[in-house]
Amino acid sequence: MATKKEGILPSGFRDVLPPQADYEAAVVARLMKHFQSAGYARVKPSLMEFETHHAVQTTGAAGGSDDNRLKLMDPVSNHLMLIRNDFTTQVARIARTSLAHHPRPLRLSYQGEALCAHGSVLNPARQYGQVGIERFGNDDANADIEVMILALEGLHALSIPEMTLDLNMPPLTQALFEHFEIAPDVAVPLRHALNSKDKTAIAQLSGKGAPTFQQLIEAAGDAEVSVTRLQSLSLPLPAKRPLEQFIETAERIIKSIKHASVVLDPLENHGFAYHSGVTFSYLTRVQGRELGRGGQYNASATTSSVQRLPTGTRRTSRAPQRLRSAGALDAEPAVGCSLFVDTLVDSCPLPIEKVL
Amino acid sequence: MILALPKGRILEDITSLLPRANIHPEDAFYDENSRQLRFTTNMPDVDIIRVRAFDVATFVAFGVAHLGIVGLDVLMEFDYPEIYVPLDLNVGRCRIVVAEPHTVARSDDPIHWSHVRVATKYPRLTQRHFVQRGVQVECIKLNGAVELATSLGLCERIVDLVSTGRTLKNNGLTEVEKIADVSSRLIINRAAWKTMPQAIAPLISQFEKATTAAKP
């Protein structure tokens, strides 16, 4: 039995009481309605998966995601299974297997709870709600913009004030690392330095690439100014294409966006583990917090021949479930966006009647 | 906007930097006996808070202070992902080191360590350093007067900041290993940088100019 010292619940967990529980449900329902009316069909992924299946769903510039998932031994199969800490990889698996036969673009939405093995000092919560959308099929700027704007309109419908859309481009960093032959043991501290805009450390770590990295850091900021600065840069050949793609998406976003200011920061890669194109996050000035994030990635099927879930769990989606052999489809481009329910609830100024 | 500044060691260096960055705090800021915690400046939308160095990083990481000045030692200890470190202010120079009593140092070679017990204000930084070296470490967290730990027999080694080395010497200690060079950095909260670039960017360049002007 837990003693008083340990508290009632494990650290990072909490009960949500009335009326907050109702409010949270209303915020989630409002967003799901918004996504579904735009053609994003709801899926409900299994809470648990086998470890081997989860790991290979998504690939991208930085490779592998941070291993912050809770693992358990499945007493039925004697294999390690894990509880999701993110819906994106799960929805990608569904899109690549059960829904592989559906015409593209395939638009899916989801909501539910995810679990981390560890909280952080800044955010100790280990259980958190996600609401989101994933779009499978094209990797053009249209797909990015559709997802970014749809999620932003959802946030705007909740009257969340003073929002900023932050755009990043992880493949650009990857291309520059390869071009400048950054050694693997330097890559980790250099990424850390780039993410904290630490010019001193960048100069020490990046060798002959230093001026290029510095210029890109200097060019980051308010979108309209930043686009001009980025256009004037002359990058090494392998980095030219990612930068052009980034600028193209940024310019189109600046033209079509209504409810948020835009910031460009091509080298930042805050928690984008598997993304292969433009990534983005929504911030609100009032809370100084992140409302959600997303981006482009490659969704791939698993390496195993048959997709299996731990016994007793099942996947519910609108399409008839059918097991199919993976590998029939190669990786496909996808764009997704997850919004964080806790931050939304804290940032939404509306009374519950207005949310519904 | 709120600028968080640390009490103690580096405050003096910083107070000479502020006017060069065109930030002039109200008089109470310079009065050491003042119990005031928040100070206005010549800039109507910039206020200063004066807190302990470790708390500067915490206030800025949580975004309640938008920018701050703090030593690299504190940043290494916390490693908050929400903090940008765009500028080395080139003040408050010192280093973070492992030290032990002269008597021990005479016959001790750090290469042969496999397990050490260390008193420090920086348990996480210390842990990381020794893990990278493949040395098992036990940290005893102290909040000050770390040098006493060895003379009173709490442990044989300490990890602490050293600038001139006089405090170490006075306490019979020798520096045996340098962990990192330290200087003060301008830090910015990530969300503040993203959501109000028009206000933050000019402040960074003000500090940049002040730092360049200070170089001999």
Side-chain angles (χ1 to χ4, degrees):
Chain A
M1 203 180 130
T3 64
K4 270 188 182 163
K5 193 178 146 212
E6 288 160 324
I8 296 166
L9 298 171
S11 75
F13 294 93
R14 65 190 175 122
D15 300 317
V16 184
L17 306 179
Q20 286 84 359
D22 275 329
Y23 192 78
E24 190 179 301
V27 166
V28 171
R30 173 74 180 256
L31 284 167
M32 284 305 287
K33 201 170 141 197
H34 172 69
F35 294 147
Q36 285 169 297
S37 65
Y40 284 76
R42 184 195 290 256
V43 287
K44 187 184 171 197
S46 155
L47 180 64
M48 314 207 65
E49 287 185 296
F50 284 123
E51 189 193 29
T52 44
H53 291 165
H54 195 97
V56 289
Q57 301 305 317
T58 42
T59 55
S65 67
D66 166 32
D67 198 14
N68 190 9
R69 294 166 299 192
L70 199 69
K71 292 170 190 167
L72 301 168
M73 182 62 78
D74 178 8
V76 177
S77 66
N78 278 334
H79 282 99
L80 213 51
M81 55 182 193
L82 49 86
I83 304 174
R84 63 166 166 253
N85 71 348
D86 179 29
F87 277 80
T88 301
T89 51
Q90 293 198 298
V91 178
R93 171 177 53 74
I94 294 170
R96 302 298 295 148
T97 53
S98 320
L99 300 182
H101 60 289
H102 271 239
R104 267 41 183 172
L106 173 66
R107 294 180 172 89
L108 301 174
S109 60
Y110 57 85
Q111 59 116 143
E113 302 286 313
L115 199 70
C116 296
H118 310 280
S120 66
V121 178
L122 293 178
N123 183 12
R126 292 201 279 167
Q127 178 186 346
Y128 63 100
Q130 275 189 326
V131 192
I133 47 177
E134 306 291 328
R135 183 190 189 280
F136 300 89
N138 317 86
D139 65 349
D140 54 16
N142 290 333
D144 290 351
I145 286 160
E146 176 186 312
V147 169
M148 274 187 244
I149 297 290
L150 184 66
L152 184 64
E153 282 170 351
L155 296 170
H156 179 67
L158 294 172
S159 297
I160 294 174
E162 299 190 87
M163 288 188 287
T164 296
L165 173 63
D166 177 30
L167 298 184
N168 321 122
M169 189 70 183
L172 182 63
T173 313
Q174 191 59 33
L176 290 170
F177 273 37
E178 280 163 23
H179 177 79
F180 292 114
E181 296 172 346
I182 302 294
D185 59 325
V186 179
V188 174
L190 181 55
R191 272 183 206 285
H192 184 273
L194 291 171
N195 281 339
S196 51
K197 306 201 191 305
D198 185 344
K199 288 180 203 160
T200 317
I202 295 168
Q204 286 163 357
L205 294 166
S206 58
K208 59 184 192 298
T212 306
F213 289 114
Q214 305 279 23
Q215 282 174 337
L216 282 161
I217 298 262
E218 297 284 344
D222 183 52
E224 310 243 356
V225 187
S226 183
V227 162
T228 321
R229 285 189 202 149
L230 290 171
Q231 277 166 336
S232 71
L233 295 183
S234 150
L235 293 192
L237 198 62
K240 276 195 161 60
R241 184 75 198 113
L243 184 65
E244 281 166 14
Q245 285 171 343
F246 181 67
I247 293 174
E248 186 199 341
T249 306
E251 283 184 314
R252 292 188 51 189
I253 277 289
I254 295 168
K255 273 192 205 123
S256 49
I257 203 161
K258 287 197 203 90
H259 313 298
S261 54
V262 184
V263 165
L264 307 187
D265 197 352
L267 292 189
E268 185 168 293
N269 185 7
H270 248 277
F272 292 112
Y274 45 69
H275 292 80
S276 58
V278 176
T279 61
F280 52 90
S281 45
Y282 303 98
L283 298 123
T284 162
R285 185 196 287 196
V286 182
Q287 296 273 334
R289 283 164 69 184
E290 208 171 83
L291 299 158
R293 52 170 49 217
Q296 213 182 80
Y297 58 93
N298 292 316
S300 60
T302 69
T303 49
S304 68
S305 58
V306 179
Q307 189 65 41
R308 285 194 314 132
L309 297 170
T311 311
T313 61
R314 69 195 169 87
R315 180 171 44 229
T316 44
S317 70
R318 280 197 195 164
Q321 182 176 332
R322 118 173 122 126
L323 297 174
R324 55 181 292 140
S325 79
L329 287 162
D330 293 317
E332 83 175 320
V335 192
C337 174
S338 297
L339 303 176
F340 308 132
V341 174
D342 286 1
T343 328
L344 299 178
V345 167
D346 290 348
S347 312
C348 177
L350 299 177
I352 190 162
E353 319 80 71
K354 292 255 171 83
V355 173
L356 287 166
Chain B
M1 266 187 310
I2 291 181
L3 167 66
L5 299 180
K7 292 175 181 172
R9 190 178 63 90
I10 53 178
L11 189 61
E12 214 169 285
D13 293 327
I14 293 169
T15 47
S16 64
L17 192 75
L18 288 178
R20 289 204 303 272
N22 205 16
I23 297 174
H24 303 278
E26 63 177 305
D27 292 341
F29 177 76
Y30 297 103
D31 175 5
E32 280 183 23
N33 298 320
S34 167
R35 300 180 74 88
Q36 208 172 314
L37 297 172
R38 184 170 172 162
F39 309 89
T40 58
T41 69
N42 60 319
M43 302 171 78
D45 48 0
V46 178
D47 275 6
I48 292 177
I49 56 168
R50 203 167 56 186
V51 293
R52 295 177 72 138
F54 281 86
D55 298 340
V56 168
T58 307
F59 276 107
V60 174
F62 280 91
V64 290
H66 304 92
L67 58 173
I69 293 177
V70 75
L72 186 63
D73 51 321
V74 173
L75 296 174
M76 287 170 76
E77 175 65 11
F78 284 123
D79 201 16
Y80 284 126
E82 293 300 306
I83 291 181
Y84 289 149
V85 192
L87 192 59
D88 185 346
L89 297 168
N90 282 314
V91 297
R93 289 209 161 275
C94 55
R95 55 196 187 279
I96 187 148
V97 304
V98 187
E100 57 190 19
H102 305 309
T103 44
V104 178
R106 242 178 268 141
S107 60
D108 187 28
D109 185 347
I111 281 189
H112 299 304
W113 291 348
S114 92
H115 169 258
V116 287
R117 202 163 170 214
V118 175
T120 183
K121 280 195 274 185
Y122 307 94
R124 279 175 272 196
L125 179 163
T126 303
Q127 181 84 32
R128 246 192 345 260
H129 169 74
F130 283 108
V131 165
Q132 273 164 9
R133 280 201 44 193
V135 175
Q136 176 75 7
V137 62
E138 256 170 63
C139 289
I140 302 166
K141 166 87 162 81
L142 295 178
N143 293 304
V146 179
E147 295 82 2
L148 279 176
T150 55
S151 58
L152 295 181
L154 190 59
C155 54
E156 280 196 330
R157 297 176 185 94
I158 63 166
V159 165
D160 205 10
L161 283 184
V162 178
S163 52
T164 60
R166 199 175 309 142
T167 317
L168 280 189
K169 208 174 163 195
N170 290 346
N171 287 282
L173 291 162
T174 307
E175 174 181 337
V176 287
E177 199 170 62
K178 184 173 88 175
I179 298 180
D181 285 311
V182 169
S183 60
S184 301
R185 309 295 169 104
L186 178 69
I187 59 172
I188 316 274
N189 172 262
R190 175 172 167 255
W193 191 96
K194 303 275 186 190
T195 55
M196 36 186 150
Q198 293 92 341
I200 297 276
L203 274 172
I204 300 180
S205 41
Q206 272 169 247
F207 275 104
E208 215 154 15
K209 277 182 204 138
T211 309
T212 335
K215 273 184 191 159

